[in-house]
Amino acid sequence: MRTMMSAFVVGALFISSVPVRAQTPPPPATAKPAAPLDSRIAQLPDFLAGKTAPTDFFAPSFLAVISEAQLKSLTDQFIAQYGQPLKIASVAPNSPHSAVITIEFERAIATADIAVEATAPNKVTGLLIKGFEPKGDSLAKIDAAFAALPGAAGYLVEKVIPNGTRTQIAGRNVTQQFAIGSTFKLYVLAELASQVDAGRRKWSDVVPLTAISYSSPATQGWPRDTPVTLQTLATWMISVSDNAATDALIGVLGREAIEKKLALVGHSNPDRALPLLKTVEAFALKTNPALRKSFETANEAKQRAMLEENAADLVFEKINVMGFGSGPAAIDSIEWFASPVDMAALLLNMRGMDNQTMLNIMAVNKGVSPVAASKWTYLGYKGGSEPGVISMSFLGKSKSGDHYTVTGSWNNPAANVDNGAFGILMGRLLDNAAGS
């Protein structure tokens, strides 16, 4: 130790004997300050991890649209599904104040759009996380996640090559009947397309919007008898799941005609699915204790008679919204039912119809992020949910030219299901199929 110290001292003395001009170091290079956009991007992982307050990161205009509580709920969900945010993986600037970025989490890579104010303090005015790409995902891992869901869940992924041969890629409880919520509206769309193909109707036919139902985002507050086309009704029904549009179409097409469609495409248990209810009938039955009990214990013929005899009570004005409560309501008895195999058969039947308008309607709302949808040359979708029920079904055409059906449902009569978690599982199935 003494020898090393002596050498250090000697070296120091030697340096001090060098003329002043020779020993004066050049001035340090001035570090270029990070651009405001880069600074905010660098802060993003800390915000996602809860280490940066939303008010320190987002502009007031952003927080006026989405609250701090909503942001906390979203980031908690991301972390629960994908682990902690680790780092910014890539940045592709669109302008001095916006970029497309990727964020590495423990179990996935997220793609996002970000934008900041053009003037100080350059807080974030826009942040859109468009999708997640799981790291090291597999069908075995996805299946294990389905198996762990409380209640009952099932799914099916099938590949269909151009000659029509179907191959099951993965599945669980594929023949079990599940409540599917608004996914049943695909049967209505299929029957409408069939009647158009048969020349009985045209997509441009105009009909009055006589139906009013609960939860109708496109037609909420519209006057009765408003004239609309069948194509408009169908687009509302599929893209935003408008219930009034659905019931209007059922009235035009005929309940029995749609029920025949179930048999035609090979529904495996039509007794479970019939009679096919209008949405307003289902809501009214669920919230009317006396009618609900009678309907649940009746056979199909008696149920049909009840729908006619109690028509005056099965209307929008008689729906007691408070009767829904906060949890699942009669999801085993007053619902629309199908198995994953049934839904796959329906989707393949619709593909075989080759009705481009119908396929375009299915693709308005693709059900997944733009990043996930971009992996397909075509992606059609319909889903449905209510407390205790979620169902999602996709018809996709891969970039190799093969078609896939990806469908799944999760029911829990005892508690609400986690729609976000299920959507992530279905997205993972879809991504796996796109890459197969």
Side-chain angles (χ1 to χ4, degrees), residues 20-376:
V20 173
R21 284 182 298 177
Q23 74 172 10
T24 303
T30 303
K32 184 180 179 180
L37 176 62
D38 295 333
S39 295
R40 292 300 181 187
I41 290 173
Q43 291 174 338
L44 180 57
D46 278 350
F47 162 71
L48 294 170
K51 299 175 183 178
T52 299
T55 51
D56 293 335
F57 188 67
F58 290 106
S61 59
F62 186 96
L63 295 175
V65 177
I66 182 168
S67 70
E68 293 185 45
Q70 289 173 311
L71 287 169
K72 178 67 163 55
S73 176
L74 287 171
T75 55
D76 285 350
Q77 180 181 325
F78 295 157
I79 291 170
Q81 293 296 319
Y82 301 115
Q84 290 293 328
L86 302 178
K87 64 181 180 180
I88 301 298
S90 68
V91 178
N94 291 323
S95 74
H97 305 107
S98 67
V100 177
I101 62 175
T102 57
I103 312 140
E104 184 176 355
F105 287 71
E106 288 177 308
R107 296 189 293 275
I109 302 292
T111 302
D113 292 331
I114 189 169
V116 302
E117 297 170 311
T119 57
N122 304 108
K123 290 187 177 181
V124 174
T125 57
L127 178 64
L128 175 63
I129 295 183
K130 299 184 292 185
F132 287 85
E133 190 78 35
K135 297 191 295 189
D137 206 10
S138 68
L139 287 173
K141 291 179 181 179
I142 300 170
D143 186 73
F146 267 94
L149 295 174
Y155 71 92
L156 174 63
V157 179
E158 281 193 341
K159 178 180 180 179
V160 186
I161 61 176
N163 69 8
T165 302
R166 298 167 57 177
T167 302
Q168 179 174 321
I169 304 299
R172 170 176 288 271
N173 297 329
V174 298
T175 61
Q176 182 171 335
Q177 294 290 309
F178 293 96
I180 59 172
S182 286
T183 308
F184 92 93
K185 295 169 185 177
L186 286 173
Y187 286 105
V188 182
L189 179 63
E191 176 56 24
L192 172 57
S194 292
Q195 293 191 18
V196 169
D197 288 346
R200 296 173 55 191
R201 307 189 190 281
K202 297 178 181 178
W203 290 107
S204 58
D205 286 349
V206 176
V207 298
L209 184 66
T210 56
I212 295 181
S213 187
Y214 177 71
S215 186
S216 299
T219 60
Q220 193 70 46
W222 282 50
R224 294 192 183 199
D225 297 325
T226 297
V228 289
T229 67
L230 294 179
Q231 185 168 341
T232 299
L233 289 175
T235 304
W236 284 338
M237 174 180 70
I238 300 300
S239 65
V240 297
S241 212
D242 191 280
N243 288 322
T246 303
D247 289 352
L249 284 172
I250 294 174
V252 170
L253 303 174
R255 190 196 310 266
E256 294 76 13
I258 301 167
E259 290 174 341
K260 289 179 181 178
K261 175 61 70 176
L262 269 72
L264 180 64
V265 300
H267 193 291
S268 60
N269 190 354
D271 290 343
R272 187 86 165 102
L274 304 180
L276 183 135
L277 298 173
K278 294 182 177 179
T279 68
V280 71
E281 292 170 338
F283 293 135
L285 285 168
K286 286 175 181 282
T287 60
N288 184 320
L291 277 179
R292 169 178 162 174
K293 183 176 181 181
S294 297
F295 192 86
E296 287 176 325
T297 57
N299 59 28
E300 182 187 330
K302 178 60 177 173
Q303 287 178 338
R304 291 186 184 277
M306 288 182 65
L307 294 178
E308 293 185 11
E309 294 165 3
N310 297 279
D313 291 317
L314 301 177
V315 294
F316 176 74
E317 291 78 9
K318 295 296 181 72
I319 296 174
N320 174 17
V321 177
M322 299 302 294
F324 286 125
S326 59
I331 69 170
D332 287 335
S333 54
I334 301 173
E335 253 290 344
W336 302 272
F337 296 94
S339 68
V341 165
D342 295 333
M343 292 310 305
L346 171 61
L347 291 168
L348 290 174
N349 179 270
M350 297 174 81
R351 166 187 170 264
M353 292 171 66
D354 198 27
N355 187 304
Q356 192 59 49
T357 299
M358 176 187 66
L359 295 175
N360 290 344
I361 288 170
M362 291 173 63
V364 171
N365 176 359
K366 296 178 173 56
V368 293
S369 71
V371 173
S374 69
K375 299 174 184 178
W376 300 86

